[in-house]
Amino acid sequence: MKIILFLFLIFYGVWAEDFISPKEYQESLYQNPRGISCAKCHGNGNQQTLGFYTKNGEKIPFIIPSIKNTNYKRFREILFQPQESKSIMPTYSLTEQEIKSLYDYVTNNKKE
Ligand code: HEC
């Protein structure tokens, strides 16, 4: 009897891994891509002020644009290709599928 229970627990454990919803998967990817977390700079995807810098004695905010209305072409491009040198947006080595997931996550968040 004990063995059966043990086996049950093992199978349950393996199976339970599948119980992560697409939304949870997408969120974990956003929080934890292979590289620095998107959330560090993009927060919940809305426009963010990351900090301030001074130029000619003027305090200028460093603004990160909203990514909620970005089209897929641009979304994909910015994650694949290095940007101009002044950009701090990093490139990632994500698969097409991962980029799609991130895109769905960010754009579905729109309503909330
Ligand atoms: C170090 C900060 C930083 C991190 C981390 C970061 N980004 Fe960005 N991102 C930026 C900045 C700054 C821009 C503005 C465009 C530029 O400067 O090139 C940007 C632009 C974008 C854009 C284009 C927006 C538009 O409409 O042009 C998308 C899409 C995007 N980021 C998605 C992501 C995703 C997804 C991740 C995580 C995998 C991520 N970013 C991680 C800083 C960051």
Side-chain angles (χ1 to χ4, degrees), residues 25-93:
Y25 167 69
Q26 292 165 358
E27 181 170 4
S28 74
L29 205 55
Y30 185 74
Q31 297 293 346
N32 225 338
R34 282 185 297 285
I36 173 170
S37 165
C38 316
K40 280 239 156 64
C41 295
H42 290 286
N44 62 4
N46 289 320
Q47 181 177 300
Q48 311 279 326
T49 305
L50 197 63
F52 294 87
Y53 60 96
T54 38
K55 196 173 160 194
N56 303 330
E58 241 185 289
K59 197 172 163 198
I60 301 167
F62 188 90
I63 293 175
I64 297 203
S66 159
I67 55 173
K68 294 198 166 184
N69 298 309
T70 306
N71 64 36
Y72 186 69
K73 189 173 164 282
R74 165 85 176 137
F75 197 94
R76 189 174 170 278
E77 193 179 84
I78 199 160
L79 291 172
F80 271 136
Q81 291 165 9
Q83 305 302 303
E84 314 163 38
S85 58
K86 69 174 169 44
S87 173
I88 61 160
M89 167 72 199
T91 42
Y92 291 84
S93 48

Side-chain angles (χ1 to χ4, degrees), residues 12-32:
Y12 185 73
V14 170
W15 219 47
E17 297 241 313
D18 286 339
F19 280 141
I20 149 170
S21 71
K23 173 120 190 190
E24 282 170 326
Y25 167 69
Q26 292 165 358
E27 181 170 4
S28 74
L29 205 55
Y30 185 74
Q31 297 293 346
N32 225 338

